[in-house]
Amino acid sequence: AQKKILIVDDDPKICDLFSRVLNDAGYCSIAKRDAKEALRYLKEHEKDIDLIVLDLDMPELDGMDFFDAIKDAQPQAKVIIASVYPVDEQKFSIFDADDYYDKSDSHSMLLEKINKLLQKSEEVSS
């Protein structure tokens, strides 16, 4: 089955870009620009989402609060923090995410991280 990836980022350009990159790589991507809406979506589709790409800097509900809410609701969800901050700062903000991605890095780097995390979860569940 196609892996579903939720992109949570308030920047429409990033949403479009990540969606394209992920869809081209054979994933099914869903982009939400509003963190609260993304949480509602997750509650309704919690079994469907394999991985979340999360921006740290968002209005209303920032990435840290969102991360806590996800991990409460879906402890098994894989989360990659993707932000303009250097990875060290991302780790400092949310130390227990599954991975970190600096938006200035290449997209292939993001895909590599996603592939690695999803392969791991497959090995565990099979």
Side-chain angles (χ1 to χ4, degrees), residues 3-116:
K3 297 281 185 190
K4 281 199 178 146
I5 299 178
L6 179 65
I7 300 159
V8 186
D9 197 310
D10 59 311
D11 183 339
K13 286 198 191 84
I14 295 286
C15 281
D16 291 348
L17 184 68
F18 283 5
S19 290
R20 249 201 332 268
V21 168
L22 294 172
N23 291 341
D24 288 350
Y27 293 112
C28 169
S29 68
I30 298 117
K32 298 283 177 200
R33 283 168 47 192
D34 175 295
K36 290 187 169 153
E37 191 191 319
L39 274 179
R40 276 196 300 274
Y41 181 87
L42 271 172
K43 285 204 176 86
E44 289 162 25
H45 303 268
E46 58 181 65
K47 299 283 178 278
D48 300 347
I49 300 296
D50 296 290
L51 186 137
I52 298 154
V53 178
L54 176 63
D55 181 27
L56 274 183
D57 228 358
M58 289 184 292
E60 285 196 46
L61 186 67
D62 72 12
M64 286 173 269
D65 296 337
F66 187 89
F67 182 80
D68 292 340
I70 292 172
K71 285 297 183 184
D72 283 347
Q74 287 176 266
Q76 83 290 354
K78 300 268 177 247
V79 181
I80 295 182
I81 303 301
S83 86
V84 290
Y85 302 113
V87 164
D88 292 345
E89 273 180 53
Q90 296 176 25
K91 284 189 182 158
F92 182 73
S93 303
I94 301 180
F95 63 90
D96 51 354
D98 295 288
D99 210 338
Y100 304 86
Y101 170 72
D102 180 337
K103 284 179 183 172
S104 61
D105 281 338
S106 69
H107 298 142
S108 55
M109 178 87 96
L110 177 63
L111 283 172
E112 225 170 89
K113 290 173 184 267
I114 289 173
N115 293 338
K116 208 185 287 167

